[in-house]
Amino acid sequence: MKRPVDSDAAVKKNDELVLTVTDYTVDGAGVAKTKTGFTVFVPSGAVGDECLVHIIKVAKNYAVGKPVRTVSPSPDRVAVDCPAFPSCGGCDFRHVSYESELEFKREWVRQSFLRLAGADVSSEPVLTAGCRRYRNKAIYQFAEIGGRLTAGFYARHSHRVVPCGDCPLHPEAFGKIL
């Protein structure tokens, strides 16, 4: 049975907490903290989301939670334009605006220089390709799914093929060729 708890209590597996996402991990997961400062990673969470999170894993210094429902969405949240997201694992930020993604990446570079080299550099805005279909290489995997030969990409950290015929990050020609 799920145990609703206040976010200042000790976090246990199967708890459900209402948390606010305040940052991202480098692979696009949201980062939230309980009132006591305990870190909870929320896949597909957007900075500013207030969401009900079901805790699926608890470690000594952090927990991982699955978002159950969004109480209040982030102003940066956008409709996902890829049916394979987040299963395919080929992109991390389809759930937030492109501008928000670029700002996060710029700040991540700045923080990395500060943390690793002690250099507080001010970086310029991230240069873009001018469109989101910027990738110039695709490695499609093939598998038999439901008795049919299917093309797609590997799910993150696995060899399970996730069907995807037209990735929004690839030029449209890739889907036609496939």
Side-chain angles (χ1 to χ4, degrees), residues 3 11 19 21 40 61 70 88 120 143 153 162 171 178:
R3 164 179 96 98
V11 176
L19 299 171
V21 177
V40 179
N61 298 320
T70 302
C88 106
D120 192 3
F153 302 103
V162 175
L178 180 64

PDB file of all heavy atoms in Angstrom, residues 3 11 19 21 40 61 70 88 120 143 153 162 171 178:
ATOM      1  N   ARG A   3       2.098   4.847   0.869  1.00  0.00           N
ATOM      2  CA  ARG A   3       2.030   5.609   2.105  1.00  0.00           C
ATOM      3  C   ARG A   3       2.286   7.070   1.795  1.00  0.00           C
ATOM      4  O   ARG A   3       3.418   7.457   1.534  1.00  0.00           O
ATOM      5  CB  ARG A   3       3.070   5.022   3.047  1.00  0.00           C
ATOM      6  CG  ARG A   3       3.472   5.806   4.219  1.00  0.00           C
ATOM      7  CD  ARG A   3       4.487   5.013   5.033  1.00  0.00           C
ATOM      8  NE  ARG A   3       5.839   5.376   4.711  1.00  0.00           N
ATOM      9  CZ  ARG A   3       6.578   6.227   5.430  1.00  0.00           C
ATOM     10  NH1 ARG A   3       6.069   6.795   6.483  1.00  0.00           N
ATOM     11  NH2 ARG A   3       7.796   6.499   5.083  1.00  0.00           N
ATOM     12  N   VAL A  11      12.468   9.194   3.613  1.00  0.00           N
ATOM     13  CA  VAL A  11      11.899   8.691   2.362  1.00  0.00           C
ATOM     14  C   VAL A  11      12.035   7.177   2.309  1.00  0.00           C
ATOM     15  O   VAL A  11      13.108   6.633   2.566  1.00  0.00           O
ATOM     16  CB  VAL A  11      12.598   9.348   1.159  1.00  0.00           C
ATOM     17  CG1 VAL A  11      12.092   8.767  -0.146  1.00  0.00           C
ATOM     18  CG2 VAL A  11      12.404  10.857   1.189  1.00  0.00           C
ATOM     19  N   LEU A  19       6.639  17.126  -4.746  1.00  0.00           N
ATOM     20  CA  LEU A  19       7.945  17.776  -4.799  1.00  0.00           C
ATOM     21  C   LEU A  19       7.990  18.782  -5.943  1.00  0.00           C
ATOM     22  O   LEU A  19       7.265  18.650  -6.928  1.00  0.00           O
ATOM     23  CB  LEU A  19       9.046  16.736  -5.001  1.00  0.00           C
ATOM     24  CG  LEU A  19       9.193  15.668  -3.918  1.00  0.00           C
ATOM     25  CD1 LEU A  19      10.175  14.593  -4.369  1.00  0.00           C
ATOM     26  CD2 LEU A  19       9.644  16.296  -2.608  1.00  0.00           C
ATOM     27  N   VAL A  21      10.537  20.337  -8.783  1.00  0.00           N
ATOM     28  CA  VAL A  21      11.797  20.111  -9.497  1.00  0.00           C
ATOM     29  C   VAL A  21      12.542  21.442  -9.577  1.00  0.00           C
ATOM     30  O   VAL A  21      11.980  22.446 -10.014  1.00  0.00           O
ATOM     31  CB  VAL A  21      11.547  19.530 -10.901  1.00  0.00           C
ATOM     32  CG1 VAL A  21      12.844  19.375 -11.671  1.00  0.00           C
ATOM     33  CG2 VAL A  21      10.810  18.192 -10.799  1.00  0.00           C
ATOM     34  N   VAL A  40      15.871  13.739  -4.663  1.00  0.00           N
ATOM     35  CA  VAL A  40      15.031  12.781  -5.385  1.00  0.00           C
ATOM     36  C   VAL A  40      15.147  13.101  -6.873  1.00  0.00           C
ATOM     37  O   VAL A  40      14.884  14.230  -7.296  1.00  0.00           O
ATOM     38  CB  VAL A  40      13.552  12.859  -4.941  1.00  0.00           C
ATOM     39  CG1 VAL A  40      12.711  11.861  -5.727  1.00  0.00           C
ATOM     40  CG2 VAL A  40      13.421  12.617  -3.434  1.00  0.00           C
ATOM     41  N   ASN A  61      22.025   8.230  -0.233  1.00  0.00           N
ATOM     42  CA  ASN A  61      22.057   9.679  -0.395  1.00  0.00           C
ATOM     43  C   ASN A  61      21.037  10.243  -1.372  1.00  0.00           C
ATOM     44  O   ASN A  61      21.037  11.444  -1.613  1.00  0.00           O
ATOM     45  CB  ASN A  61      23.456  10.123  -0.838  1.00  0.00           C
ATOM     46  CG  ASN A  61      24.502   9.779   0.196  1.00  0.00           C
ATOM     47  OD1 ASN A  61      24.260   9.920   1.389  1.00  0.00           O
ATOM     48  ND2 ASN A  61      25.649   9.308  -0.248  1.00  0.00           N
ATOM     49  N   THR A  70       1.220  15.672 -12.527  1.00  0.00           N
ATOM     50  CA  THR A  70       1.740  17.016 -12.360  1.00  0.00           C
ATOM     51  C   THR A  70       0.693  17.856 -11.646  1.00  0.00           C
ATOM     52  O   THR A  70      -0.436  17.974 -12.119  1.00  0.00           O
ATOM     53  CB  THR A  70       2.098  17.633 -13.729  1.00  0.00           C
ATOM     54  OG1 THR A  70       3.051  16.783 -14.372  1.00  0.00           O
ATOM     55  CG2 THR A  70       2.675  19.014 -13.577  1.00  0.00           C
ATOM     56  N   CYS A  88      13.175   5.592 -25.875  1.00  0.00           N
ATOM     57  CA  CYS A  88      14.297   5.285 -26.753  1.00  0.00           C
ATOM     58  C   CYS A  88      15.637   5.702 -26.173  1.00  0.00           C
ATOM     59  O   CYS A  88      16.641   5.093 -26.477  1.00  0.00           O
ATOM     60  CB  CYS A  88      14.074   5.860 -28.156  1.00  0.00           C
ATOM     61  SG  CYS A  88      15.047   7.286 -28.573  1.00  0.00           S
ATOM     62  N   ASP A 120      35.631  30.738 -12.958  1.00  0.00           N
ATOM     63  CA  ASP A 120      34.263  31.215 -13.147  1.00  0.00           C
ATOM     64  C   ASP A 120      34.209  31.931 -14.490  1.00  0.00           C
ATOM     65  O   ASP A 120      34.514  33.116 -14.584  1.00  0.00           O
ATOM     66  CB  ASP A 120      33.843  32.142 -12.015  1.00  0.00           C
ATOM     67  CG  ASP A 120      32.346  32.413 -12.015  1.00  0.00           C
ATOM     68  OD1 ASP A 120      31.636  31.831 -12.870  1.00  0.00           O
ATOM     69  OD2 ASP A 120      31.894  33.200 -11.171  1.00  0.00           O
ATOM     70  N   ALA A 143      14.715  -5.455 -34.954  1.00  0.00           N
ATOM     71  CA  ALA A 143      14.303  -6.555 -34.094  1.00  0.00           C
ATOM     72  C   ALA A 143      12.932  -7.031 -34.538  1.00  0.00           C
ATOM     73  O   ALA A 143      12.179  -6.295 -35.171  1.00  0.00           O
ATOM     74  CB  ALA A 143      14.233  -6.104 -32.638  1.00  0.00           C
ATOM     75  N   PHE A 153      15.591   2.373 -32.173  1.00  0.00           N
ATOM     76  CA  PHE A 153      16.806   2.663 -31.428  1.00  0.00           C
ATOM     77  C   PHE A 153      16.791   1.882 -30.127  1.00  0.00           C
ATOM     78  O   PHE A 153      15.737   1.538 -29.611  1.00  0.00           O
ATOM     79  CB  PHE A 153      16.908   4.164 -31.131  1.00  0.00           C
ATOM     80  CG  PHE A 153      16.892   5.000 -32.376  1.00  0.00           C
ATOM     81  CD1 PHE A 153      15.739   5.680 -32.748  1.00  0.00           C
ATOM     82  CD2 PHE A 153      17.998   5.091 -33.188  1.00  0.00           C
ATOM     83  CE1 PHE A 153      15.706   6.443 -33.899  1.00  0.00           C
ATOM     84  CE2 PHE A 153      17.975   5.847 -34.351  1.00  0.00           C
ATOM     85  CZ  PHE A 153      16.830   6.520 -34.709  1.00  0.00           C
ATOM     86  N   VAL A 162      13.388   0.074 -29.381  1.00  0.00           N
ATOM     87  CA  VAL A 162      12.184   0.888 -29.285  1.00  0.00           C
ATOM     88  C   VAL A 162      11.856   1.368 -30.695  1.00  0.00           C
ATOM     89  O   VAL A 162      12.671   2.040 -31.326  1.00  0.00           O
ATOM     90  CB  VAL A 162      12.410   2.102 -28.356  1.00  0.00           C
ATOM     91  CG1 VAL A 162      11.188   3.005 -28.350  1.00  0.00           C
ATOM     92  CG2 VAL A 162      12.766   1.643 -26.959  1.00  0.00           C
ATOM     93  N   PRO A 171      17.184  14.516 -39.816  1.00  0.00           N
ATOM     94  CA  PRO A 171      16.542  15.078 -41.010  1.00  0.00           C
ATOM     95  C   PRO A 171      15.406  14.159 -41.485  1.00  0.00           C
ATOM     96  O   PRO A 171      15.483  12.932 -41.325  1.00  0.00           O
ATOM     97  CB  PRO A 171      17.674  15.116 -42.035  1.00  0.00           C
ATOM     98  CG  PRO A 171      18.925  15.135 -41.221  1.00  0.00           C
ATOM     99  CD  PRO A 171      18.618  14.328 -39.991  1.00  0.00           C
ATOM    100  N   LEU A 178      14.746   4.985 -44.373  1.00  0.00           N
ATOM    101  CA  LEU A 178      14.456   3.816 -43.559  1.00  0.00           C
ATOM    102  C   LEU A 178      13.238   3.085 -44.097  1.00  0.00           C
ATOM    103  O   LEU A 178      13.212   1.894 -44.231  1.00  0.00           O
ATOM    104  CB  LEU A 178      14.226   4.215 -42.096  1.00  0.00           C
ATOM    105  CG  LEU A 178      13.905   3.092 -41.138  1.00  0.00           C
ATOM    106  CD1 LEU A 178      15.087   2.127 -41.032  1.00  0.00           C
ATOM    107  CD2 LEU A 178      13.559   3.644 -39.770  1.00  0.00           C
TER     108      LEU A 178
END
